[in-house]
Amino acid sequence: MTPICLVGIGKIAVDQHVPAIAGSADWELAATVSRAGHVAGVQAYTDFDQMLAERPDIPVVSLCLPPVPRYDYAAKAIAAGRHVMLEKPPGATLAEVYALADMAQAAGVTLYTTWHSRMAEGVDPAKSWLADKQITAAHINWKEDVRRWHPGQDWVFEPGGMGVFDPGSNALSIITEILPMPIHLRNATLSFPANRDTPIAAQMQWTENVTGDFDWRQEGPQSWDITVETTVGTLVLHDGGARLVIDGKDAVVGPRAEYPALYDRMAELVAAGRSEVDLSPMLHVADALTLGKRITVDAFDF
Ligand code: NAP
């Protein structure tokens, strides 16, 4: 098994990365770096430079930090000759991720921009079904309660936190994977709470009759659905890509294992000496922030 270091022991590290690594035949969690978090039985560092200096035996680093602090860690890891796995969204800006990709190539290490929702059970079969279809329209309905899923995480409303596009980029990662044609944004309306720096809701309209409603103020039932209309029928991905319904009937989907699949993919990339850097979901976020009309809505506090 290959030793791996997990950096940023917060919500997603504890919920998904630690169990995925523990269940993998490829990886052994050899160290963590976090100011406050740790994993029982695993050597815990609070200083990243110290970990890099003291553990040359760890060739791979997985970064679970929020996007803004992530670049500096990734750049240091690559400079130290380590392969790097990035949580989504892969950075605070597109340019910084392109820079990391160049650094990784020059250093001969793997860089993997993970998009966990692309590994959801229904996504591959949806992509296969749509591959030879003529798409007439598509709609993203991504509405959740930020208080429930990100309690107290103020970074999501700080510059670079991306607001509703933090979960919204999951939908964008799916739609950019399953549609057989490219789309680009025509217009968007972004709702910024009066006291915050990132949007809490967004309405988007792309080419090819593709639209999206993203909202972080949804109480009660939560919606993570993508509907695609074709000339021969309708496909719906529910539950963030976990459930696939074609013409009203549930389709067979793969096993539920988004994060294990990401770590399997990282093992393949490292073994093959390749990188995988896909910024297409983030491109649509950047376009929304470039093109979108901004309206101010009620202040938001956790
Ligand atoms: P989080 O719990 O708020 O933060 C993760 C860890 O990052 C923190 O525990 C903290 O560890 C470290 N950190 C935070 N700010 C830092 C800073 N300025 N400098 C250095 N370290 C810092 O966030 P999260 O919910 O796990 O999300 C992290 C990433 O995973 C995000 O990009 C998010 O989009 C993605 N993600 C989250 C979820 C989810 O359900 N939450 C799901 C999928 C993907 P220490 O304070 O111990 O250093």
Side-chain angles (χ1 to χ4, degrees):
M1 289 202 283
T2 305
I4 189 168
C5 175
L6 207 47
V7 182
I9 305 301
K11 185 169 188 313
I12 199 60
V14 170
D15 287 356
Q16 298 290 346
H17 290 256
V18 171
I21 292 169
S24 169
D26 295 310
W27 303 107
E28 178 211 350
L29 185 58
T32 60
V33 179
S34 214
R35 298 164 304 187
H38 68 278
V39 175
V42 177
Q43 184 174 18
Y45 289 88
T46 53
D47 184 84
F48 190 54
D49 295 330
Q50 188 185 357
M51 188 285 295
L52 290 173
E54 290 184 6
R55 297 299 304 267
D57 60 307
I58 301 179
V60 180
V61 171
S62 179
L63 300 179
C64 307
L65 311 159
V68 170
R70 207 179 294 134
Y71 170 85
D72 289 339
Y73 285 79
K76 281 183 179 179
I78 292 167
R82 313 303 165 88
H83 307 287
V84 174
M85 196 169 159
L86 302 172
E87 246 299 351
K88 66 89 217 178
T93 71
L94 295 165
E96 72 180 35
V97 186
Y98 285 125
L100 291 175
D102 288 345
M103 288 178 212
Q105 188 173 15
V109 298
T110 294
L111 181 69
Y112 179 24
T113 58
T114 68
W115 295 103
H116 66 86
S117 290
R118 282 190 178 167
M119 300 300 194
E121 304 88 295
V123 172
D124 260 358
K127 180 178 180 171
S128 302
W129 191 81
L130 290 171
D132 60 356
K133 304 290 184 302
Q134 191 181 334
I135 314 298
T136 54
H139 183 67
I140 298 168
N141 189 41
W142 222 255
K143 294 178 181 164
E144 62 173 60
D145 182 353
V146 63
R147 289 191 176 94
R148 182 162 151 195
W149 301 104
H150 293 269
Q153 291 183 337
D154 277 310
W155 63 262
V156 298
F157 287 116
E158 290 165 3
M162 296 182 209
V164 75
F165 293 117
D166 177 81
S169 64
N170 297 335
L172 297 171
S173 74
I174 294 175
I175 200 126
T176 50
E177 181 72 9
I178 64 173
L179 288 184
M181 74 292 183
I183 54 171
H184 64 266
L185 194 66
R186 287 293 202 188
N187 61 65
T189 302
L190 310 177
S191 301
F192 282 72
N195 59 338
R196 299 290 186 169
D197 294 315
T198 62
I200 197 162
Q203 290 176 304
M204 319 260 284
Q205 188 173 3
W206 289 270
T207 52
E208 309 286 350
N209 214 10
V210 178
T211 52
D213 271 328
F214 303 84
D215 204 318
W216 238 353
R217 299 165 296 189
Q218 174 88 358
E219 293 173 3
Q222 310 284 285
S223 308
W224 299 285
D225 305 319
I226 297 177
T227 303
V228 185
E229 312 275 356
T230 78
T231 51
V232 295
T234 301
L235 174 150
V236 189
L237 276 169
H238 294 286
D239 304 339
R243 183 174 160 225
L244 175 62
V245 175
I246 297 174
D247 284 336
K249 288 188 196 141
D250 271 278
V252 175
V253 298
R256 171 160 283 201
E258 291 183 21
Y259 278 83
L262 294 179
Y263 279 93
D264 288 351
R265 180 76 185 132
M266 184 63 179
E268 285 168 16
L269 289 170
V270 170
R274 293 185 40 230
S275 287
E276 188 171 296
V277 177
D278 183 353
L279 290 174
S280 54
M282 207 172 141
L283 198 60
H284 293 295
V285 177
D287 281 0
L289 295 168
T290 307
L291 183 65
K293 174 183 168 64
R294 293 171 184 236
I295 58 174
T296 302
V297 296
D298 289 349
F300 178 88
D301 291 297
F302 280 106

